[in-house]
Amino acid sequence: MEFDLVIAGGTVVDAQQSRRADVGVREGKIACVAPELSGRRVIDASGKLVLPGGIDSHCHVEQLSSAGQMCADDFYSASVAAALGGTTTIMPFAAQHRGDSITAVVDDYFARAATKAVVDYAFHLIVSDPTPQALQTELPLMAARGISSFKVYMTYELLRLSDEQMLEVLLAADREGALLMVHAENHDIIKWITRRLLERGHTSPRFHASSHHPIAESEATHRVISLSRLLDVPALIVHVSGIEAVNTIRDAQHLGARVFAETCPQYLFLSATDADRPGLEGAKWCCSPPPRDAQSHEAVWAGLKDGTLQLFSSDHAPYRFDESGKLPRGQATTFKEMANGVPGLQVRMPLLFSEGVRKGRISVNEFVALTSTNHARMYGLAHRKGSMDVGCDADILVWDADRQVTLSASMMKDNAGYTPYEGRQISGWPERVLLRGELIVEGDRLLAQRGSGEFIACGTPAPVARPVQRAPDGPAGVFRKLIGA
Ligand code: URP
Ligand code: ZN
Ligand code: ZN
């Protein structure tokens, strides 16, 4: 039986196992994984790893910040950067700002992505204005449109929700079979430290990390977990950075809380001291939560290894080092005013492979789980993405584990204009990238056409199979009956 395409002679890796096999592709799907297949086209993968395409479930693309700054990437530049770094599905945010109609926001994101993306995409929804109309009428429409994850913020003046609002959004997520993602930092702690720092003339970028104190993160993390436990509704804490937050999440999971968590390259490979540079240069290393220190790096590695943290995403939030992003008031910009975020879509997988797999911290199967499979399961994409299973989209990487690369801004395809990893030497890079069976990257060359990426509708998030896990007669169930929730 001849296949449209065979990827021959490589080591096929998924989240469970690694095996020497060929991969047969038919009509854009994985049709067979077995030795000695024959195809009309053959890609020689001998000596290479053959992996499912990466899924980056946290990136900001064509998104307006609450301060009105447009991030530097549109769906073309972001998706090209993703493709060149081995990511074949991205999940950016359709961001509701206060007063916005959710339907109008989502329509706008669909229109922006459709003509530009070169990789496949799905959306999360940011909810910043949970009015009764939004909760009762608009959120129920989202699942029908394939959006089954909502992000809420506990900080940022114009985005943050009160605990009461978070409880309402948790209930709405539960009703709609959606997963709540939370940016967990204590707003008042950050605001109070920021005011005192600025009063003392501490305005430069390095003070951003002082203001976003790790205790602001761990307190908010504990609070989200409490809200989630109160209602027995799952929550996913995004961009976990600090040792105390990791430990808080692990403890809660041991107690049976249905809490999941994500971390990002900046919490393994960057430090608060990176922002300590002359002038405003350090703004390039500022994101929220901020990069921490060696002790937190080790805690994050341990959390990835023992399953406390299930997802490794980029939180790609690209802003240029000029008045459009990092320096809205030019040289007078204080750390409070600069846009928060670092670019990372293109380097997410190579960095984790080099520092994790090559250095023996995680197995190559754990690498696949953390960069692809777990994202598909967590957000309801596993019917098409994130594995080498027969029937899944043939989103496949031929990965050269030995290619040596020195990271530099000149090789980055995003529009940030810099990389916080400048000069870093890594081993391992995708040699070929296939999307639904089509070769979209060969070496450093993009072959995909603008707009060839497809929207993928998310189903129900899989790790939160509520009907099975919920105990209606357990303490949370009895309590919810009492309050009519
Ligand atoms: O600094 C960051 N992470 N900016 C992007 C917005 C967010 O909170 O994810
Ligand atoms: Zn966030
Ligand atoms: Zn983010």
Side-chain angles (χ1 to χ4, degrees):
M1 195 176 16
E2 207 176 45
F3 295 95
D4 300 341
L5 169 71
V6 167
I7 301 161
T11 301
V12 178
V13 181
D14 62 23
Q16 285 81 39
Q17 59 177 332
S18 308
R19 58 203 148 137
R20 292 295 295 274
D22 297 349
V23 181
V25 175
R26 187 171 292 128
E27 293 177 359
K29 304 276 185 195
I30 296 174
C32 186
V33 181
E36 308 289 329
L37 301 180
S38 68
R40 282 194 289 284
R41 281 168 53 222
V42 176
I43 290 176
D44 177 12
S46 39
K48 305 291 187 301
L49 302 174
V50 178
L51 318 172
I55 302 173
D56 192 336
S57 61
H58 189 154
C59 49
H60 302 271
V61 180
E62 281 193 63
Q63 187 188 321
L64 205 57
S65 77
S66 55
Q69 289 144 318
M70 179 53 93
C71 67
D73 279 318
D74 68 6
F75 277 88
Y76 184 69
S77 55
S79 62
V80 172
L84 268 290
T87 290
T88 49
T89 304
I90 55 173
M91 292 191 73
F93 297 87
Q96 182 206 30
H97 294 289
R98 291 195 187 143
D100 286 351
S101 136
I102 287 175
T103 305
V105 164
V106 168
D107 286 347
D108 181 46
Y109 271 74
F110 271 98
R112 286 170 183 272
T115 54
K116 299 179 204 137
V118 303
V119 299
D120 287 352
Y121 54 93
F123 295 124
H124 312 287
L125 174 71
I126 289 174
V127 180
S128 70
D129 201 2
T131 59
Q133 151 82 6
L135 293 174
Q136 284 151 30
T137 311
E138 296 200 281
L139 291 188
L141 299 174
M142 291 300 114
R145 298 186 75 171
I147 299 178
S148 59
S149 38
F150 309 147
K151 181 178 177 187
V152 297
Y153 287 80
M154 297 170 83
T155 188
Y156 294 123
E157 198 63 57
L158 297 175
L159 290 175
R160 72 198 178 102
L161 303 190
S162 66
D163 294 353
E164 185 180 4
Q165 289 174 311
M166 291 221 298
L167 286 166
E168 289 297 343
V169 182
L170 269 169
L171 276 186
D174 192 39
R175 278 195 301 273
E176 307 311 329
L179 180 61
L180 193 75
M181 308 160 73
V182 186
H183 179 128
E185 290 187 287
N186 178 309
H187 183 71
D188 282 349
I189 292 179
I190 295 168
K191 191 170 154 195
W192 183 78
I193 301 173
T194 299
R195 177 172 57 76
R196 295 186 73 95
L197 286 167
L198 294 177
E199 281 168 4
R200 280 157 188 74
H202 298 320
T203 60
S204 65
R206 75 188 173 98
F207 294 105
H208 173 75
S210 314
S211 66
H212 286 250
H213 196 282
I215 287 181
E217 183 187 31
S218 58
E219 185 284 323
T221 300
H222 187 269
R223 191 149 34 103
V224 180
I225 292 167
S226 303
L227 301 181
S228 151
R229 289 180 60 204
L230 182 69
L231 300 174
D232 190 19
V233 175
L236 186 142
I237 298 161
V238 293
H239 46 49
V240 173
S241 71
I243 179 169
E244 286 198 30
V246 175
N247 291 341
T248 301
I249 293 163
R250 183 182 294 109
D251 290 348
Q253 289 169 344
H254 285 163
L255 287 174
R258 291 194 289 154
V259 54
F260 306 96
E262 167 208 81
T263 193
C264 317
Q266 46 272 35
Y267 308 121
L268 291 175
F269 309 123
L270 301 178
S271 300
T273 51
D274 282 318
D276 192 1
R277 294 176 192 245
L280 295 179
E281 184 76 11
K284 295 176 180 172
W285 282 264
C286 288
C287 54
S288 296
R292 306 288 186 193
D293 58 13
Q295 197 191 18
S296 282
H297 296 163
E298 285 316 309
V300 171
W301 277 118
L304 289 172
K305 183 76 193 161
D306 73 8
T308 305
L309 310 169
Q310 298 82 31
L311 301 178
F312 188 75
S313 311
S314 66
D315 192 7
H316 178 79
Y319 291 100
R320 293 189 69 80
F321 190 62
D322 63 22
E323 297 197 357
S324 70
K326 291 290 183 185
L327 310 175
R329 290 204 306 121
Q331 290 307 307
T333 304
T334 68
F335 72 83
K336 186 180 175 208
E337 296 155 330
M338 64 199 180
N340 286 194
V342 292
L345 253 176
Q346 195 171 337
V347 294
R348 172 187 73 117
M349 295 184 76
L351 276 170
L352 188 68
F353 186 87
S354 185
E355 297 302 308
V357 180
R358 297 281 310 207
K359 296 198 173 159
R361 288 181 168 116
I362 56 171
S363 71
V364 70
N365 311 96
E366 288 166 333
F367 170 76
V368 168
L370 290 166
T371 57
S372 180
T373 310
N374 292 353
H375 301 252
R377 291 190 182 145
M378 194 70 79
Y379 294 117
L381 290 171
H383 57 299
R384 291 198 48 186
K385 305 290 185 186
S387 81
M388 298 301 294
D389 291 353
V390 169
C392 269
D393 286 359
D395 297 354
I396 297 173
L397 310 180
V398 178
W399 189 278
D400 181 351
D402 297 319
R403 180 166 165 200
Q404 308 285 309
V405 176
T406 303
L407 301 179
S408 72
S410 62
M411 62 188 287
M412 297 304 152
K413 304 297 180 189
D414 64 61
N415 265 334
Y418 74 96
T419 170
Y421 306 100
E422 184 72 39
R424 204 172 284 243
Q425 304 208 333
I426 60 168
S427 304
W429 199 267
E431 179 186 88
R432 287 190 171 91
V433 179
L434 290 104
L435 177 70
R436 288 177 269 106
E438 295 295 326
L439 198 55
I440 61 165
V441 172
E442 189 159 33
D444 296 327
R445 239 165 18 106
L446 179 80
L447 305 176
Q449 294 300 311
R450 193 182 171 93
S452 54
E454 281 182 6
F455 172 72
I456 309 292
C458 293
T460 306
V464 285
R466 291 162 301 113
V468 185
Q469 293 182 21
R470 153 90 30 85
D473 50 351
V478 172
F479 167 72
R480 282 180 58 164
K481 257 190 222 132
L482 177 72
I483 60 166

